[in-house]
């Protein structure tokens, strides 16, 4: 019984409705330029068994190699850690994406991120990745609504800060020149004195994130966020610019 319980896993299951045909959505979900335009820089060999490589920051330690385990355009793609990764054990992560057409020119994108163990040791990781995926899927929605078929250049600076999340979030906003949390639709101008700025309007606001459509320095999307828990708290200012 103890061994069976140790092998139990759980999955994150999320969905978002996006604009576009299945073929347009598939390009955003299953190609390197498409994924790089709303998530992190990717290289994808576009066939079953092909290599997939994600970059989460500078340096080789921020590379995440993987494999295209299933390639079924424009309906379903699965990424995993490579041959031997489909063990079904905790830690054997897989990412399944499905595209389902809807009437009126939209699609539903469904994600199943499997491989999480159960118990308190896994809870923080499960919660953090659930929250992160919600943010990236909202960015995917913006990409397909405003920039379908185009490829963005991603910029994904992050830092790890001590202290509590609420305090880090307010310090991040203040450091970017935002004194009051904006509302959806508000104009926003983020940046530091004598440094680059992101100017546009707010598309979505959460307790610890702001997602925006960018006008300057080039059209695109961006978000600022404070994620994680004390001791593993990450702050980020990510942008995806088309120009």
């Amino acid at each position: 019984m103890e061994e069976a319980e140790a092998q139990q896993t759980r999955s994150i299951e999320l969905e978002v409705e996006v604009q576009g045909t299945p073929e347009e959505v598939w390009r955003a979900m299953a190609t390197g330029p498409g994924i790089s335009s709303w998530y992190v820089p990717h290289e994808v060999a576009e066939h079953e068994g092909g290599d997939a490589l994600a970059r989460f920051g500078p340096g080789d330690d921020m590379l995440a190699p993987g494999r295209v385990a299933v390639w079924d355009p424009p309906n379903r793609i699965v990424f995993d850690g490579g041959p031997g990764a489909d063990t079904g054990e905790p830690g054997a992560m897989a990412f399944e994406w499905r595209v389902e057409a809807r009437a009126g020119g939209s699609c539903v994108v469904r994600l199943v991120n499997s491989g999480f163990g159960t118990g308190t040791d896994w809870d923080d990781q499960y919660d953090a990745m659930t929250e992160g995926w919600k943010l990236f899927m909202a960015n995917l929605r913006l990409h397909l609504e405003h920039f379908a078929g185009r490829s963005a250049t991603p910029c994904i600076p992050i830092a790890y800060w001590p202290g509590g999340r609420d305090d880090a979030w307010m310090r991040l906003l203040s450091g970017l020149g935002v004194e009051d949390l904006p509302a959806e639709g508000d104009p926003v101008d983020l940046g530091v004195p004598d440094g680059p700025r992101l100017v546009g309007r707010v598309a979505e606001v959460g307790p610890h994130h702001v997602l925006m459509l960018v006008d300057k320095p080039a059209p695109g999307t961006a978000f600022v966020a404070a994620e994680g828990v004390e001791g593993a708290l990450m702050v980020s200012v990510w942008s995806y610019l088309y120009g």
Side-chain angles (χ1 to χ4, degrees):
M1 174 67 74
E2 292 181 0
E3 181 177 355
E5 291 178 351
Q7 299 301 314
Q8 290 180 355
T9 61
R10 52 181 167 165
S11 301
I12 296 170
E13 299 186 20
L14 299 170
E15 66 178 48
V16 61
E17 186 169 0
V18 298
Q19 293 185 9
T21 66
E23 291 75 19
E24 290 171 331
V25 177
W26 176 263
R27 180 190 182 279
M29 303 301 313
T31 71
I35 301 170
S36 302
S37 297
W38 58 272
Y39 185 30
V40 298
H42 263 69
E43 299 174 13
V44 178
E46 299 177 20
H47 59 85
E48 188 164 318
D51 292 334
L53 184 67
R55 177 176 288 280
F56 290 86
D60 291 344
D61 59 332
M62 299 301 286
L63 292 173
R67 172 186 67 165
V68 180
V70 176
W71 178 268
D72 178 24
N75 306 305
R76 178 174 176 251
I77 188 169
V78 179
F79 297 101
D80 67 13
D86 53 348
T87 63
E89 298 179 355
M93 292 286 174
F95 307 88
E96 177 181 2
W97 297 92
R98 290 182 178 269
V99 179
E100 299 178 6
R102 290 289 186 266
S106 68
C107 292
V108 171
V109 174
R110 304 185 191 278
L111 165 67
V112 178
N113 179 184
S114 58
F116 295 91
T118 57
T120 55
D121 290 344
W122 283 93
D123 288 345
D124 287 344
Q125 183 179 355
Y126 182 91
D127 293 342
M129 288 193 70
T130 299
E131 187 172 350
W133 276 128
K134 289 179 180 179
L135 185 54
F136 285 118
M137 291 174 79
N139 199 35
L140 169 66
R141 176 179 52 79
L142 286 184
H143 166 69
L144 286 164
E145 181 178 352
H146 297 277
F147 304 103
R150 299 175 63 185
S151 298
T153 299
C155 181
I156 55 173
I158 61 174
Y160 293 91
W161 285 0
R165 189 178 184 188
D166 290 341
D167 177 65
W169 176 232
M170 297 312 297
R171 285 195 293 134
L172 177 62
L173 290 179
S174 178
L176 294 172
V178 180
E179 297 302 328
D180 297 311
L181 188 65
E184 184 175 333
D186 283 354
V188 63
D189 183 344
L190 304 177
V192 295
D194 301 320
R197 309 197 69 80
L198 294 171
V199 181
R201 66 183 187 276
V202 175
E204 180 181 291
V205 177
H208 299 98
H209 78 263
V210 172
L211 177 66
M212 61 183 290
L213 280 167
V214 178
D215 298 320
K216 297 177 181 179
T221 66
F223 62 81
V224 295
E227 303 174 77
V229 295
E230 188 168 352
L233 185 66
M234 183 180 78
V235 295
S236 55
V237 184
W238 292 24
S239 63
Y240 306 80
L241 301 180
Y242 301 79

